[in-house]
Amino acid sequence: FLVRRSKAAGLLAACGRPGLCTVNVPGWTSAFKDVENKWQAEWGKREGTPSLLQKGGSEEKQEADKKYILSMFPYPSGKLHMGHVRVYTFADTVARTYMMQGKDVISPMGWDAFGLPAENAAILRNVPPSQWTYENISIMKRQLQKMGV
């Protein structure tokens, strides 16, 4: 068990294993929540999500200035997991990078709701597939919005 002290910040980090550290600083949790709530509210005011469609400049763009970023559409068979976070963070990062370079970017999001994973998950839980699918789409959409992608 390692304990390290940062003299610059006066923080105490306790690490059970290298690379897995927790930092307990009074007030930080509420500060992070305040910042997150502020930006969630700001994004909620905008039409669409930050990564849906952004114009980078003039209407007359060359083909090289237009980008279409498509990541996989999730099966609405349950809640998001870290694999989803990884995939959508990568796609969102690429889309935002192109936007900052002034390119027109479209990065659509949808649901792969016609496959067997969603239907089989509903059958296992004795829930009608349509109900299971729509409930999971709603949950996943909120999770993605909370991530800011």
Side-chain angles (χ1 to χ4, degrees):
F1 192 74
L2 303 172
V3 176
R4 291 180 290 182
R5 187 154 190 69
S6 168
K7 293 178 183 175
L11 305 178
L12 185 64
C15 300
R17 290 184 285 165
L20 297 176
C21 296
T22 58
V23 177
N24 187 7
V25 179
W28 272 27
T29 302
S30 63
F32 285 131
K33 287 184 180 183
D34 291 344
V35 170
E36 181 179 5
N37 290 336
K38 172 191 171 189
W39 287 107
Q40 291 293 332
E42 181 65 32
W43 291 336
K45 292 179 196 171
R46 297 180 186 176
E47 193 173 338
T49 59
S51 60
L52 180 62
L53 174 64
Q54 294 288 329
K55 287 282 188 187
S58 70
E59 293 296 322
E60 296 179 13
K61 291 277 189 176
Q62 300 294 323
E63 283 300 313
D65 290 335
K66 296 177 183 178
K67 299 294 179 185
Y68 181 74
I69 310 299
L70 180 64
S71 57
M72 68 174 192
F73 289 167
Y75 294 115
S77 55
K79 294 179 179 149
L80 296 179
H81 53 73
M82 287 308 296
H84 292 104
V85 173
R86 181 191 66 206
V87 168
Y88 303 120
T89 300
F90 287 159
D92 191 61
T93 301
V94 170
R96 288 173 191 258
T97 299
Y98 282 133
M99 284 182 244
M100 287 188 283
Q101 294 171 351
K103 299 186 184 320
D104 287 344
V105 177
I106 186 166
S107 183
M109 182 48 145
W111 312 101
D112 191 350
F114 300 105
L116 285 176
E119 186 172 349
N120 287 337
I123 290 169
L124 284 172
R125 291 162 179 84
N126 293 321
V127 176
S130 62
Q131 176 187 338
W132 177 257
T133 299
Y134 286 117
E135 285 175 1
N136 281 313
I137 286 173
S138 176
I139 291 168
M140 292 172 117
K141 184 176 179 181
R142 279 194 311 272
Q143 289 176 306
L144 288 168
Q145 287 172 334
K146 192 157 185 149
M147 286 173 46
V149 298

